[in-house]
Amino acid sequence: MTDTLTIVSLLPGLQDTNGDAANARVLAQRARWAGFDAVVLDVAPGDALPASADIIVIGSGSDAALPAARAALLPMADRLRELVTAGVPLLAVGTGWELLGVGIDLADGSVVEGIGLVAGRAVPAPARIADDLAVKSKYGRLIGFENHSRHYVGAEGSPLGRVLAGTGNGNGQEGLVMGDVFGTHLHGPVLARNPGLADHLLRLALARRGSDYVPGARSDAVDETARAARNQVAVRLKLPAE
């Protein structure tokens, strides 16, 4: 055992429309199965970020919640920048990712300014996108559900992966990787469906602490269930099974 791994869940009360807050619990459980103590720390609006963090996650919320979520993130912006600059991995999904960018252009012509933690901005798509999404990435083939009404531009040089089926960013790419910040449209929650990405985040976090991460034996059955779920979607998308 090592000292407790702290997984920070940002604004789970606002940013959990598609069950994305469960990504924090997935990380904590996989860390425990690997023999590490782990705790999920929920950070609500008005709360300060902890003095230390090992992984940070933020999920997606409704467009109606964008102003409240932005207001809650603004006081955290400098500290978030310090943490990610120090190498703390951060996973952001949907509008949580959009809020970390430069800004969000809404369909009515108004703009919600982002906190500028990563490059790029969200711009209106011609129609709402709600479908299965499959992505080729160096973390394995990622499969989930996308549910958004905007494309993401300005991150073409650093995508999470290439779209195999679905829309993603709207340009054949999906997501964003800047340093150890990962943005994606994938819901599911993404780490439950794609444990290879969860394990990558855990390896990054534990390497910062001088520890090696090796998935625990109890992960095997869960990973097989996740693989079967991905393959069910792959069949619908006419992609080969893993």
Side-chain angles (χ1 to χ4, degrees):
M1 290 288 184
T2 68
D3 293 337
T4 300
L5 195 74
T6 301
I7 299 161
V8 174
S9 179
L10 291 179
L11 313 179
L14 285 173
Q15 302 294 111
D16 190 28
T17 303
N18 296 279
D20 303 310
N23 285 315
R25 298 195 295 275
V26 171
L27 290 166
Q29 189 58 66
R30 293 185 74 82
R32 294 179 191 122
W33 286 339
F36 297 91
D37 289 325
V39 63
V40 174
L41 180 61
D42 291 344
V43 175
D47 291 348
L49 287 167
S52 64
D54 294 292
I55 307 178
I56 303 167
V57 299
I58 181 170
S60 190
S62 67
D63 279 5
L66 281 172
R70 178 184 182 273
L73 286 173
L74 272 177
M76 306 179 194
D78 289 344
R79 180 61 179 147
L80 282 172
R81 189 168 288 105
E82 289 174 359
L83 289 168
V84 300
T85 299
V88 174
L90 188 158
L91 173 70
V93 180
T95 64
W97 164 32
E98 292 177 344
L99 284 164
L100 298 186
V102 176
I104 303 168
D105 297 343
L106 300 178
D108 64 4
S110 62
V111 175
V112 176
E113 298 295 337
I115 67 171
L117 192 68
V118 297
R121 68 185 302 115
V123 299
R128 186 161 195 87
I129 301 153
D131 207 346
D132 294 315
L133 174 62
V135 179
K136 181 179 180 181
S137 85
K138 65 180 181 180
Y139 317 105
R141 187 172 68 185
L142 308 176
I143 289 182
F145 188 77
E146 58 180 330
N147 180 17
H148 55 106
S149 57
R150 287 177 288 274
H151 295 322
Y152 198 89
V153 299
E156 288 77 9
S158 53
L160 178 63
R162 177 173 62 85
V163 171
L164 299 173
T167 300
N169 295 356
N171 61 355
Q173 298 178 343
E174 158 56 16
L176 167 147
V177 179
M178 288 192 67
D180 294 324
V181 178
F182 299 77
T184 185
H185 294 103
L186 285 161
H187 303 290
V190 59
L191 298 186
R193 284 194 174 191
N194 303 279
L197 180 57
D199 287 344
H200 178 68
L201 295 172
L202 287 165
R203 286 190 187 96
L204 290 174
L206 287 161
R208 291 185 67 244
R209 301 171 56 149
S211 297
D212 293 326
Y213 171 78
V214 178
R218 290 186 62 185
S219 298
D220 292 344
V222 172
D223 292 357
E224 179 58 27
T225 299
R227 186 188 69 82
R230 292 195 304 276
N231 282 338
Q232 285 184 338
V233 177
V235 168
R236 293 201 299 271
L237 297 174
K238 295 182 170 54
L239 296 172
E242 294 178 317

